[in-house]
Amino acid sequence: MIVPFEHVIFFASLLFFMGLAAVVIRRNLVMVLLGVEVMLNAAGIVFVGASLRWMSLEGQGFVLFIMGVAAAEVALGLALVVYARSLKDSLDPNDFSELKG
């Protein structure tokens, strides 16, 4: 492996915290979805780096599964955001507090 594993972990953790900040700080449903996607990609980077370090293909297979789940999550999430926008004319998550169970 050309890139040291510690650098991969550092890069993935930086990406993860950027996505977490986007989820926590932003007041827009689209940006929350984008933050979740960034966090999923950070997890995928760690799985690929670990699979290359320990010469095992399970990590890369799991990344394919994560990418499939992420694509489904984006499709469903964007459909819900467009529907919610048409109902309330807002993308602020606090405007949808009545959806809490």
Side-chain angles (χ1 to χ4, degrees):
M1 185 173 187
I2 296 173
V3 179
F5 187 61
E6 294 81 17
H7 293 177
V8 172
I9 294 293
F10 176 74
F11 178 66
S13 62
L14 185 68
L15 270 181
F16 185 84
F17 285 113
M18 288 171 60
L20 186 63
V23 168
V24 172
I25 294 173
R26 301 299 288 225
R27 292 285 172 215
N28 188 330
L29 288 175
V30 174
M31 293 307 291
V32 170
L33 276 175
L34 196 65
V36 170
E37 288 298 316
V38 169
M39 288 192 291
L40 284 174
N41 286 332
I45 288 172
V46 170
F47 277 119
V48 169
S51 78
L52 290 176
R53 177 174 170 89
W54 287 294
M55 299 297 174
S56 176
L57 290 179
E58 287 90 6
Q60 294 180 18
F62 201 71
V63 168
L64 290 175
F65 176 73
I66 288 175
M67 291 172 71
V69 169
E73 179 249 338
V74 164
L76 185 62
L78 284 178
L80 286 173
V81 166
V82 168
Y83 183 69
R85 168 89 170 137
S86 69
L87 286 179
K88 297 248 181 178
D89 278 338
S90 173
L91 291 178
D92 188 4
N94 292 330
D95 291 343
F96 301 99
S97 61
E98 68 269 3
L99 295 176
K100 290 181 180 175

